[in-house]
Amino acid sequence: MGLNLIYEPGQTPLSEEEMLGLKLPSVTTKGELDEVEQLNIEQAIAWTMGKSFSADKLLSIEFLQILHQRMYGDVWSWAGTFRKSEKNLGVPYHQIYMETQKLLDDAQTWYEHCVYDQAEHCIQIKHRLVSIHCFPNGNGRHSRLYADLLHTMYGASHFSWKGSNLSHDSNERNAYLKALKKADHGEIDDLIAFAIS
């Protein structure tokens, strides 16, 4: 039977090899996949509740991979591992580790020297992380939850992200994608405003 996916604008297609990593053979449609991924993500969010993560812990490759594994490990065998294929966006896959470490080093410096205010610090990291596109799938959702956790490091609450499920085509998703494109050109304000609205 196999998995039949129809992608929304802005979503990154999985390779055939990556689709073979689906752990749930009964899942055959995008709707079913969205449902089981969302359940797994909710479990990951529950895992983060009540925990206090230090900057050293959060700003590590190990934590990025653990978080992705927590979010998608019940669904995909490759959850938590950096992608090994080229995509329609992101850095070449052989540069992922190096670019991610550079981002985390920058993020540590920004944090230690208060380069940005709290929200901008988190959103700058989120944007660069999704631009690197570390994983085969779930990079947007992963980077948003990661930004939420960074925000709680400051004692703040999770971002609202307009209270939307940004995985489905909607006005909110379109606004989010526009804000991401502006951030690609150094204009981060709309993405910050989207996150806190």
Side-chain angles (χ1 to χ4, degrees), residues 22-62:
L22 183 65
K23 291 181 169 182
L24 307 167
S26 62
V27 172
T28 59
T29 68
K30 181 76 167 73
E32 292 168 345
L33 179 61
D34 289 345
E35 188 176 320
V36 295
E37 284 184 339
Q38 185 58 38
L39 287 171
N40 203 169
I41 291 166
E42 288 169 12
Q43 291 171 350
I45 292 168
W47 169 74
T48 68
M49 295 301 185
K51 287 187 171 61
S52 179
F53 299 108
S54 68
D56 286 342
K57 174 96 173 163
L58 283 173
L59 298 174
S60 70
I61 285 178
E62 179 185 23

Side-chain angles (χ1 to χ4, degrees), residues 37-93:
E37 284 184 339
Q38 185 58 38
L39 287 171
N40 203 169
I41 291 166
E42 288 169 12
Q43 291 171 350
I45 292 168
W47 169 74
T48 68
M49 295 301 185
K51 287 187 171 61
S52 179
F53 299 108
S54 68
D56 286 342
K57 174 96 173 163
L58 283 173
L59 298 174
S60 70
I61 285 178
E62 179 185 23
F63 186 84
L64 288 172
Q65 291 179 309
I66 288 169
L67 182 62
H68 193 271
Q69 167 65 32
R70 289 276 184 172
M71 293 174 72
Y72 298 102
D74 291 349
V75 181
W76 296 105
S77 62
W78 42 254
T81 59
F82 288 159
R83 66 180 160 86
K84 297 175 180 71
S85 64
E86 298 300 342
K87 298 294 178 189
N88 58 349
L89 70 155
V91 301
Y93 73 89

Side-chain angles (χ1 to χ4, degrees), residues 10-197:
Q11 290 180 331
T12 306
L14 293 169
S15 70
E16 286 189 35
E17 184 178 339
E18 289 160 351
M19 285 197 281
L20 292 174
L22 183 65
K23 291 181 169 182
L24 307 167
S26 62
V27 172
T28 59
T29 68
K30 181 76 167 73
E32 292 168 345
L33 179 61
D34 289 345
E35 188 176 320
V36 295
E37 284 184 339
Q38 185 58 38
L39 287 171
N40 203 169
I41 291 166
E42 288 169 12
Q43 291 171 350
I45 292 168
W47 169 74
T48 68
M49 295 301 185
K51 287 187 171 61
S52 179
F53 299 108
S54 68
D56 286 342
K57 174 96 173 163
L58 283 173
L59 298 174
S60 70
I61 285 178
E62 179 185 23
F63 186 84
L64 288 172
Q65 291 179 309
I66 288 169
L67 182 62
H68 193 271
Q69 167 65 32
R70 289 276 184 172
M71 293 174 72
Y72 298 102
D74 291 349
V75 181
W76 296 105
S77 62
W78 42 254
T81 59
F82 288 159
R83 66 180 160 86
K84 297 175 180 71
S85 64
E86 298 300 342
K87 298 294 178 189
N88 58 349
L89 70 155
V91 301
Y93 73 89
H94 63 275
Q95 294 178 4
I96 291 171
Y97 188 92
M98 178 183 64
E99 291 299 322
T100 303
Q101 190 59 61
K102 280 182 4 189
L103 164 60
L104 294 171
D105 291 344
D106 287 348
Q108 185 73 42
T109 300
W110 299 340
Y111 177 69
E112 290 171 1
H113 298 283
C114 302
V115 172
Y116 299 112
D117 69 29
Q118 296 171 5
E120 185 170 359
H121 179 243
C122 301
I123 300 305
Q124 287 280 2
I125 296 166
K126 176 260 182 293
H127 175 256
R128 237 170 92 192
L129 187 61
V130 83
S131 297
I132 293 168
H133 221 70
C134 298
F135 304 102
N137 187 34
N139 291 280
R141 291 168 286 180
H142 174 264
S143 67
R144 288 191 297 275
L145 179 54
Y146 185 63
D148 289 343
L149 296 177
L150 290 169
H151 210 216
T152 63
M153 175 181 73
Y154 286 109
S157 59
H158 284 206
F159 292 105
S160 69
W161 305 104
K162 291 200 180 240
S164 303
N165 179 345
L166 299 174
S167 298
H168 301 291
D169 194 21
S170 64
N171 290 338
E172 289 80 12
R173 179 174 172 75
N174 292 335
Y176 170 69
L177 292 175
K178 278 185 187 173
L180 278 176
K181 287 193 186 310
K182 286 180 85 172
D184 290 343
H185 299 286
E187 299 174 40
I188 198 82
D189 290 346
D190 285 2
L191 190 55
I192 296 168
F194 188 93
I196 64 178
S197 61

